[in-house]
Amino acid sequence: MFTPGVLIRRLPNLQASAFLLVAFFSGVAGALQTPTLSLYLSGEIHASPMLVGLFFTVNALAGIVVSQLLATFSDRRGDRKTLILQCCVLGAAGALLFAWSHSYLLLIIVGTLLAGFGTTANPQMFALAREHADKTGREAAMFSSVMRAQISLAWVIGPPLAFALAVGFGFKAMYTCAAVAFAACALLVHFLLPTMRKTQAVTIDKLQAPRRNRRDTLLLFVACTLMWCANSCYLITMPLYIVHELQLNEKLAGEMIGLAAGLEIPVMLIAGYYAARFSKRRLLRISAASAVLFYAGTLFITSPGMLLALQFFNALFIGLVAATGMLYFQDLMPGQAGAATTLFTNTSRVGWLVAGLISGGAAQLWGYHSVFLLTLAMAAVTLGCLWSIRNP
């Protein structure tokens, strides 16, 4: 029998569980939509490779603008819980728009804007979780790591499920399921997440340039940007390459992405454990070398079994850069943790922004195979940049 005192003591655990569930369902919503978007635009909207790439670029740009505007507002005076709830509702509306509309113009103008709000729910949720952890005395770094693991788990499940739904029931059913995932997030946020209103305005510091190690920080920025750009080009192009050039089942693309995401979880955990013992530069060099092997393999391997086996190098590549990239920026920029974190985050954003145009243009002019040649070149340049960085 629950007494009020027992219930009150259990409330923080209930809220912590709610954060994990919101992280998982928001991850599922994204994992259902992103891997299949290029196939949807090509097969359902009949967009050319160039227009597919342009769509990804506009989508990334909309996400950057929306997230920056909402981040500034929420840090100063906004109620994050209300903001997350609104973003989930708009994300659900965006998914339903993709389910029922086949107008490229409408989707690239309105759909990308709604999707930008949907993706912004995630960083706002992490910010609210940090504030909640600080207030309740939880260990913030571990709580954040567990939340990130939920998103990785969602990417293990989401892509195979997305392609299975798209092939078996159509894209309308798949996007409807994404809308349901956003709706589940909205309900969890409304009923279970804590409200933490701002009591006073907070001054937002502008992004500062590195005070030390500027050359090495610039090289690291270029290296990480190229890494994320190559990964984004791969995610955009791979489903189309699997279906149109290799003539393989669409479900294989989802299985490849899901397998890579599953392998990334132990890679990130192991890298996090050994980051303090081994050089982060060395771990990132291993990441870049794995990327070279992975993209070289995509140029020559065509069998489903070998393509799945190749995901080990993909997971090693992404898992290591995700686990150690931000920490290395912070090492190179002592006393500027916020600026270093923002720089690392921006490498992913810039990578997605550039990848849409590069992958779309290359696929339009020279075919999907040429995109993997470009990603291989990016990985090789990345390895060269990392080899030129000195120890901080």
Side-chain angles (χ1 to χ4, degrees), residues 222-239 241 287-300 307 310-311 313-314 317-318 351-352 354-363 366-384:
V222 172
C224 289
T225 300
L226 288 175
M227 283 180 168
W228 293 125
C229 185
N231 181 60
S232 301
C233 286
Y234 168 77
L235 288 175
I236 294 170
T237 306
M238 184 269 293
Y241 174 70
S287 172
S290 300
V292 170
L293 293 174
F294 173 66
Y295 292 122
T298 58
L299 289 170
F300 304 106
L307 286 171
L310 197 62
Q311 298 309 308
F313 293 105
N314 190 18
F317 159 43
I318 297 300
W352 267 110
V354 176
L357 294 177
I358 289 179
S359 60
W366 304 297
Y368 299 116
H369 216 67
S370 66
V371 179
F372 299 124
L373 279 171
L374 287 175
T375 57
L376 177 60
M378 291 179 199
V381 173
T382 295
L383 192 58

Side-chain angles (χ1 to χ4, degrees), residues 3-13:
T3 65
V6 172
L7 184 59
I8 289 171
R9 286 195 298 272
R10 291 197 171 197
L11 268 176
N13 292 332

